[in-house]
Amino acid sequence: MNARNTVKRSIVFFLVPDFTLIAFATAIEPLRAANRMLGYAAYEWRLASLDGKPVKASNSVECAVDTSLEVERRKMTGGDRPSMVIVCSGVNIEAYSNKTTFAWLREEYNRGVAIGGLCTGAHVLAAAGLLSNRRCAIHWENLPGFAEAFPKANVFADLFEVDQNIYTCAGGTAALDMMLKLIGDDFDEHLVNRVCEQVLTDRVRSPTDRQRLPLRARLGVQNSKVLTIIELMEANLTEPLSLIEIADHVGLSRRQIERLFRQEMGRSPARYYLEIRLDRARHLLLQSAMPVVEVAVACGFVSASHFSKCYREVYARSPQQERGERRQLLVA
């Protein structure tokens, strides 16, 4: 048998409470399909949790596991040491902090084990100190808070990123693309194509394919000038552009921009710009421990009082109340 056809990879999927089931399932299923196509177990896996007890996913489905972190630590020096560890997480990841988990991940990595993260798993890897000056991907919803919390990590809104021995993906079906890339690296494109046929997907997406729908589809807007303006706004949230600067960039007058936004978006460009800045602020409030004044500055507000006033007008509660309600949910 060709040496390339004897590849065997052992993977530990470490489940964090509230992990995203779709990302976990689309990561493990292509491995099963690959084994079936090959006719032997090229890939083996086991599930682990902190204490060896079942872990509940964010959709309330409870998943039994095979081992605990204590058992996995003992396996590091034996024949059962994995070749890869993948952290599976999801919502409420900002509240997860476990020094034992972080130390275990570092030690596995230092022993040459590949480390991965699904959905918000990059948050756990960064907290463990594994993503400094590394490219990584995380779900778009968590990206603002992650970028603020871990400025040394090179985070991208990509489907997945592979930086040497670190694998991260944005979750959802992006886990399928990342694992197909892994299978392709271990074997060849022919096997990847056969797995794709089994799981009914017609192609492997590129790592840099966008996570979110294009603006045209997401907003239902067809006017190319309006789309260009919105892209400019989204790229300049910390230091908002003036309407004059935007007008100069797209070659329209202020009056033309005002009219276009009224027609296409049902509000003024200033109001739309404010709303997307406040949306970013809301993500930072929910996903980070940044002081409210720092959140205000990060979203282009000149003062915390002005930020609070605008926030209350849009969300009918203050930034402090937003964060307080979030903490109550986490405790509950």
Side-chain angles (χ1 to χ4, degrees):
M1 182 178 289
N2 188 299
R4 189 163 174 78
N5 293 331
T6 61
V7 171
K8 192 165 187 176
R9 194 184 284 263
S10 172
I11 303 174
V12 171
F13 288 93
F14 182 74
L15 305 186
V16 175
D18 290 323
F19 71 96
T20 306
L21 193 58
I22 186 173
F24 170 64
T26 53
I28 209 167
E29 279 301 295
L31 301 178
R32 179 195 64 80
N35 285 347
R36 184 183 176 204
M37 297 300 99
L38 290 166
Y40 68 96
Y43 297 99
E44 294 181 343
W45 54 86
R46 58 182 181 264
L47 312 185
S49 69
L50 184 63
D51 55 8
K53 295 179 180 178
V55 182
K56 189 173 289 188
S58 57
N59 62 2
S60 297
V61 171
E62 198 168 68
C63 187
V65 301
D66 304 298
T67 63
S68 66
L69 199 57
E70 181 181 354
V71 172
E72 286 301 327
R73 291 181 71 86
R74 291 202 297 267
K75 290 177 180 288
M76 281 195 295
T77 55
D80 287 337
R81 189 182 77 181
S83 57
M84 189 172 196
V85 170
I86 298 179
V87 176
C88 309
S89 59
V91 299
N92 304 326
I93 192 60
E94 305 81 27
Y96 186 81
S97 179
N98 185 275
K99 293 181 179 179
T100 303
T101 300
F102 301 155
W104 169 62
L105 290 172
R106 287 193 298 270
E107 191 168 351
E108 291 280 22
Y109 178 75
N110 290 335
R111 289 175 179 269
V113 175
I115 304 294
L118 306 182
C119 192
T120 60
H123 199 287
V124 179
L125 272 55
L130 296 176
L131 293 184
S132 293
N133 301 313
R134 291 297 188 91
R135 293 179 64 92
C136 61
I138 198 168
H139 193 279
W140 64 266
E141 202 172 40
N142 299 84
L143 198 150
F146 179 90
E148 294 291 342
F150 304 106
K152 292 184 179 180
N154 299 322
V155 64
F156 295 88
D158 295 338
L159 291 183
F160 66 91
E161 285 287 347
V162 179
D163 190 335
Q164 296 181 28
N165 224 18
I166 300 287
Y167 296 71
T168 52
C169 81
T173 58
L176 172 63
D177 299 287
M178 186 174 78
M179 300 311 280
L180 289 173
K181 167 75 166 61
L182 187 77
I183 292 168
D185 289 345
D186 287 346
F187 292 94
D188 52 36
E189 188 176 348
H190 177 64
L191 178 59
V192 170
N193 290 338
R194 294 179 68 193
V195 172
C196 284
E197 289 179 339
Q198 283 293 311
V199 300
L200 304 184
T201 187
D202 61 352
R203 69 186 181 99
V204 182
R205 291 177 294 178
S206 165
T208 55
D209 277 10
R210 64 175 74 230
Q211 292 184 26
R212 305 183 72 180
L213 290 172
L215 277 176
R216 191 180 299 273
R218 181 158 33 111
L219 302 177
V221 174
Q222 300 303 317
N223 188 289
S224 60
K225 291 288 188 181
V226 172
L227 293 171
T228 299
I229 292 169
I230 292 174
E231 288 174 349
L232 270 174
M233 291 176 173
E234 291 187 346
N236 294 275
L237 299 180
T238 302
E239 297 183 6
L241 301 174
S242 69
L243 192 52
I244 294 176
E245 290 173 313
I246 292 173
D248 288 342
H249 192 280
V250 297
L252 295 174
S253 69
R254 293 180 59 182
R255 184 172 296 180
Q256 286 174 314
I257 293 175
E258 291 278 358
R259 185 173 67 251
L260 279 174
F261 263 74
R262 293 289 182 188
Q263 290 173 350
E264 298 283 346
M265 308 305 297
R267 50 180 121 8
S268 70
R271 179 67 182 183
Y272 186 82
Y273 208 169
L274 174 66
E275 288 175 358
I276 60 176
R277 288 160 57 208
L278 288 171
D279 181 67
R280 176 181 171 83
R282 186 168 185 270
H283 281 99
L284 290 176
L285 287 169
L286 297 178
Q287 300 167 9
S288 75
M290 290 174 65
V292 171
V293 65
E294 290 185 17
V295 172
V297 172
C299 298
F301 292 90
V302 295
S303 68
S305 59
H306 181 229
F307 167 56
S308 295
K309 178 177 179 293
C310 294
Y311 198 94
R312 188 183 292 275
E313 286 177 357
V314 171
Y315 295 112
R317 54 188 175 277
S318 69
Q320 292 83 356
Q321 288 172 324
E322 184 80 82
R323 180 164 277 172
E325 290 174 10
R326 169 70 166 177
R327 285 173 180 158
Q328 288 175 2
L329 285 174
L330 291 176
V331 170

